[in-house]
């Protein structure tokens, strides 16, 4: 059994027991949250899809931690013009473990 969920403008294929990193969400570490935007559920070879969301499907997850990803460097340069800019960015994320998928 797996589900396709939408969170933070991205889509994720999840199965129970899987750990994924989502965009920053509310909730304390150890608390349970519901990921309500379920697009598709597969159960024993039978697919159920929504238009665009499945109304009766829920994915429950446990918040593991809030953290920041590795730094990426953004470097801009225009040659022969003495123009250089360096910026760094670390994106916030929430690590969650998928507990159950219900229909």
């Amino acid at each position: 059994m797996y589900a396709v969920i939408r969170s933070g403008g991205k889509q994720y294929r999840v199965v129970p027991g899987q750990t994924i990193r989502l965009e920053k969400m509310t909730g304390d570490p150890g608390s349970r949250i519901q990921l309500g935007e379920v697009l598709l559920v597969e159960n024993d070879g039978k697919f159920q899809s929504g238009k665009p969301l499945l109304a009766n499907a829920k994915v429950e997850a446990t918040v593991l931690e809030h953290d920041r990803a590795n730094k990426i460097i953004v470097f801009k340069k225009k040659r022969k013009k003495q123009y250089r800019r360096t910026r760094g960015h670390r994106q916030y994320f929430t690590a969650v473990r998928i507990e159950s998928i219900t229909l």
Side-chain angles (χ1 to χ4, degrees), residues 23-35 61-67 93-96:
E23 295 293 320
K24 186 175 180 183
M25 304 178 78
T26 60
D28 297 326
S31 65
R32 295 195 63 149
I33 58 172
Q34 285 189 353
L35 305 172
T62 302
V63 176
L64 299 177
E65 67 173 339
H66 299 289
D67 203 2
F93 71 86
T94 300
V96 298

Side-chain angles (χ1 to χ4, degrees), residues 21 66-70 89-93:
R21 288 180 167 187
H66 299 289
D67 203 2
R68 294 170 77 184
N70 293 333
H89 176 74
R90 293 184 70 190
Q91 183 69 33
Y92 287 95
F93 71 86

Side-chain angles (χ1 to χ4, degrees), residues 31-91:
S31 65
R32 295 195 63 149
I33 58 172
Q34 285 189 353
L35 305 172
E37 293 190 350
V38 181
L39 304 172
L40 179 130
V41 173
E42 184 273 336
N43 190 10
D44 296 329
K46 297 176 185 170
F47 292 90
Q48 290 183 346
S49 64
K51 299 177 187 175
L53 302 175
L54 275 171
N56 57 351
K58 292 186 179 99
V59 175
E60 289 197 0
T62 302
V63 176
L64 299 177
E65 67 173 339
H66 299 289
D67 203 2
R68 294 170 77 184
N70 293 333
K71 181 178 275 193
I72 61 167
I73 303 298
V74 179
F75 182 72
K76 300 178 182 181
K77 180 180 179 179
K78 295 189 181 185
R79 62 191 198 112
K80 300 179 185 176
K81 303 298 179 193
Q82 299 299 315
Y83 174 81
R84 292 182 189 160
R85 298 290 181 267
T86 303
R87 296 283 180 262
H89 176 74
R90 293 184 70 190
Q91 183 69 33

